[in-house]
Amino acid sequence: MPATLSVLCVHGVGHGDQDATLKPTWTDAITKNLKRWQPALTVDCQFFRYDDAFDHEPLNGLVYSRALAELLASGVIHGIGDLFGATRGLADVPDQIRWTAGMVAQWASEEKLREALRKKLLDWMQKGSFSLVCAHSLGSLVCYDTFRRNPGALANKTLLTFGSQIGNPCVRDCFAGRIEPLRAKQWYHLYNRDDHVLTAHVRLDAPNFAEVLTEFDKPGDILNHDPIFYFNHQNTQARVWPDVAGGRASRSVTRAFVPLAKAAARPDRRALLVGINDYPNPANRLEGCVNDVFLISAALQDSGFRAEEVRIVLDDRATTANLLERLHWLLDHVPETGERVLFYSGHGAQIPSYAVSGEVDHLDECLVPYDFDWTPDHAIRDKQFVEFYSQLPYASRFVAIFDCCHSGGLTREGGLRPRGLTPPDDIRHRAMQWDDGRWLNRTFAERTGDRYRIGRGRHVRQLARHRYMRDRKAFGHKGPYLPVMFEACQERELSYEYRDGATSYGAFTFSL
């Protein structure tokens, strides 16, 4: 271990260049945590500051509005999307969050800005012999963008990201739709699910990557984004600092950690089958969904799946929380040879969603769990589903089958009964307009932009082709994983039940 450890510190959003407390507080926390494991170590912290690169467009109210609109339209399902859902408009969004949204959106939308920041960071990396790079918040985006495009810059170095937006869908397009490993000695990602600055879990499976859960709730702080709380968290102290310092404890912690990660053999095959007949409202109940599940289970076992590889969830057990937990079981840590099947039979719905302006601008397709209540918190939305599969290994196989209405966008009804729900009048009103003395359904145009296009009936955001191909090549990957999907109908169509003799099935499932 060298007598001196050089650390490059990359600050996050919000006037890092002008914050007089940033350097002393970061230096003190990093030094104390490292010297706890290596008392004789000299720690040299240097600071990469970059706020001046954003000065060409001051973050006024207009920029805030545009930034928030872009972030929410891009499919944000973490952080600001959750906070904004509880507000009544832009005026209610805290200034700190507006500042954050503005800087992140500006970074995400300006290619020349990202290019200038990459060049500036590479110059710093070449000037110093850094063993550790600590990157907070927006600084982690700058670092990942730089190091993924320039793999040699992080060789034999450790990267520590925290309060990071790297895994957030709102910036995923900047990385051509996928997060890939870095050529680093080790990459630690500290994640606090109560951090409300667009932070997100990183779904990445690599031997030199470890996500460390660092949950905290700082009193009086709505954001929970404080870097010092990340540095001093007990899990960071136990997992990260010993390893970086090279002390004895680091080896014992690592030995305890790695075997646990490798101990459980990862099954090559898993199937999750969901069927919901008995919705709480009798008017919404179906007949054939549970039969569909047993029909598909039999077909899978006839095709080589073992009984223990097939998990089913039925009726009142198919709540939102339970379905999300089982989707993690199905799609987390999938090996290269993994085969996964998801089957859903039940209702589907389209929820008219509000834009940042407070106006309804699109429909969210979703699966309808048992506890569905026409809010995003009790639905399995198409955007959430994308997050589960986009990071799967390219060599793995994932097939998703939806027998529900709007399944081309994701829904369903039966008898001739469609497997889709009619929204209550207050929800339905969002998608209607008064025209020449009568109520008409509104037409929602396909949203487009110079960076991305959300295709009708597709669950994958597609970048403008020329930029997508260029960025994909720059980041050295094939884009997001694309599963095989079987859908009962198109986005604006209905799926129906079918009675075979005295037994009900989904018409699509029975035919399949």
Side-chain angles (χ1 to χ4, degrees):
M1 188 70 191
T4 300
L5 191 146
S6 186
V7 182
L8 180 62
C9 302
V10 186
H11 65 78
V13 297
H15 305 293
D17 293 358
Q18 304 171 20
D19 186 355
T21 66
L22 187 145
K23 184 173 181 178
T25 55
W26 279 46
T27 300
D28 181 64
I30 293 171
T31 301
K32 284 182 177 178
N33 280 297
L34 287 172
K35 290 176 74 70
R36 176 177 301 161
W37 301 98
Q38 200 69 265
L41 186 66
T42 299
V43 179
D44 175 29
C45 292
Q46 300 185 40
F47 288 78
F48 172 66
R49 301 177 187 263
Y50 56 83
D51 277 355
D52 58 337
F54 290 80
D55 290 344
H56 62 281
E57 186 174 8
L59 290 174
N60 54 36
L62 178 62
V63 177
Y64 289 147
S65 299
R66 188 170 68 243
L68 282 167
E70 178 169 347
L71 289 173
L72 294 176
S74 297
V76 177
I77 59 172
H78 300 281
I80 197 168
D82 298 333
L83 285 178
F84 187 80
T87 68
R88 299 182 57 159
L90 182 63
D92 290 344
V93 179
D95 287 340
Q96 291 170 292
I97 299 174
R98 283 189 272 177
W99 170 265
T100 299
M103 290 193 75
V104 171
Q106 190 176 347
W107 175 87
S109 61
E110 296 186 21
E111 283 191 78
K112 290 184 178 179
L113 173 61
R114 296 198 301 273
E115 183 179 353
L117 289 168
R118 289 195 298 268
K119 184 178 184 303
K120 190 171 184 179
L121 179 56
L122 284 174
D123 289 343
W124 268 77
M125 295 297 293
Q126 291 169 1
K127 291 176 183 176
S129 181
F130 301 106
S131 299
L132 172 65
V133 178
C134 295
H136 181 228
S137 190
L138 178 58
S140 69
L141 294 177
V142 176
C143 286
Y144 179 84
D145 185 43
T146 301
F147 298 143
R148 183 63 200 174
R149 290 173 180 265
N150 302 273
L154 203 58
N156 299 317
K157 297 175 175 58
T158 298
L159 175 65
L160 176 63
T161 56
F162 47 104
S164 173
Q165 300 87 18
I166 291 174
N168 198 303
C170 74
V171 299
R172 188 73 56 80
D173 288 350
C174 297
F175 308 134
R178 188 174 174 93
I179 307 301
E180 287 283 278
L182 294 171
R183 195 182 301 171
K185 177 182 177 182
Q186 184 69 38
W187 175 11
Y188 290 110
H189 181 76
L190 310 184
Y191 176 51
N192 173 20
R193 72 186 91 194
D194 293 320
D195 185 329
H196 295 298
V197 185
L198 302 170
T199 54
H201 164 59
V202 173
R203 301 177 66 86
L204 186 63
D205 195 4
N208 67 337
F209 174 80
E211 184 172 87
V212 181
L213 192 62
T214 49
E215 294 185 335
F216 61 85
D217 187 3
K218 183 179 178 181
D221 185 355
I222 187 176
L223 300 182
N224 287 320
H225 195 57
D226 193 318
I228 307 306
F229 273 65
Y230 278 103
F231 287 147
N232 293 336
H233 194 280
Q234 60 182 2
N235 289 345
T236 314
Q237 293 178 356
R239 179 71 181 97
V240 179
W241 298 123
D243 185 42
V244 174
R248 290 182 179 179
S250 73
R251 289 189 290 273
S252 65
V253 170
T254 302
R255 281 198 300 270
F257 181 83
V258 174
L260 286 174
K262 295 181 178 179
R266 298 176 179 176
D268 281 346
R269 284 178 169 171
R270 281 184 177 179
L272 173 62
L273 316 181
V274 181
I276 311 175
N277 283 335
D278 295 332
Y279 285 95
N281 185 343
N284 295 333
R285 290 176 183 170
L286 299 169
E287 295 182 1
C289 300
V290 172
N291 293 336
D292 289 347
V293 163
F294 280 88
L295 194 63
I296 293 295
S297 179
L300 288 173
Q301 293 182 57
D302 282 343
S303 302
F305 274 72
R306 298 193 302 273
E308 60 268 23
E309 295 171 335
V310 180
R311 179 180 288 191
I312 70 171
V313 188
L314 303 176
D315 291 332
D316 60 350
R317 293 177 58 80
T319 62
T320 307
N322 283 346
L323 291 185
L324 289 173
E325 185 272 329
R326 283 160 177 79
L327 282 171
H328 282 292
W329 169 83
L330 183 72
L331 296 175
D332 282 357
H333 308 298
V334 177
E336 288 285 340
T337 57
E339 297 177 11
R340 298 292 188 266
V341 175
L342 171 65
F343 174 77
Y344 173 84
S345 177
H347 279 303
Q350 291 179 316
I351 304 177
S353 299
Y354 284 109
V356 67
S357 62
E359 297 180 357
V360 175
D361 70 342
H362 66 285
L363 299 171
D364 280 340
E365 286 76 29
C366 64
L367 304 180
V368 176
Y370 179 81
D371 57 346
F372 181 72
D373 62 0
W374 293 100
T375 67
D377 290 337
H378 292 95
I380 306 297
R381 292 170 289 162
D382 49 2
K383 297 182 184 71
Q384 289 173 294
F385 186 48
V386 172
E387 287 303 294
F388 275 101
Y389 67 67
S390 61
Q391 292 289 120
L392 292 180
Y394 291 126
S396 64
R397 297 179 180 181
F398 174 39
V399 174
I401 306 168
F402 299 106
D403 195 346
C404 59
C405 294
H406 317 304
S407 56
L410 273 169
T411 130
R412 158 173 184 172
E413 292 198 35
L416 284 178
R417 177 173 178 77
R419 291 179 167 182
L421 297 181
T422 300
D425 289 341
D426 58 333
I427 303 295
R428 194 164 59 95
H429 181 268
R430 301 177 190 172
M432 301 181 72
Q433 62 186 19
W434 180 255
D435 183 28
D436 195 24
R438 56 180 177 166
W439 287 104
L440 299 176
N441 291 327
R442 291 177 53 194
T443 299
F444 294 98
E446 185 176 359
R447 290 176 294 179
T448 60
D450 63 342
R451 288 197 305 111
Y452 61 87
R453 172 172 54 83
I454 299 178
R456 177 172 296 171
R458 298 285 130 216
H459 310 303
V460 182
R461 195 182 310 118
Q462 298 181 10
L463 306 182
R465 184 168 179 80
H466 68 285
R467 295 195 57 182
Y468 171 67
M469 298 299 289
R470 181 200 63 196
D471 291 347
R472 196 179 69 174
K473 184 177 180 180
F475 284 102
H477 61 68
K478 301 176 183 179
Y481 179 93
L482 299 177
V484 174
M485 292 192 186
F486 293 94
E487 298 166 333
C489 59
Q490 296 188 52
E491 180 178 345
R492 299 183 182 276
E493 296 179 335
L494 302 179
S495 168
Y496 289 89
E497 292 202 323
Y498 167 75
R499 188 177 294 273
D500 181 55
T503 306
S504 291
Y505 299 96
F508 170 72
T509 300
F510 186 83
S511 300
L512 180 68

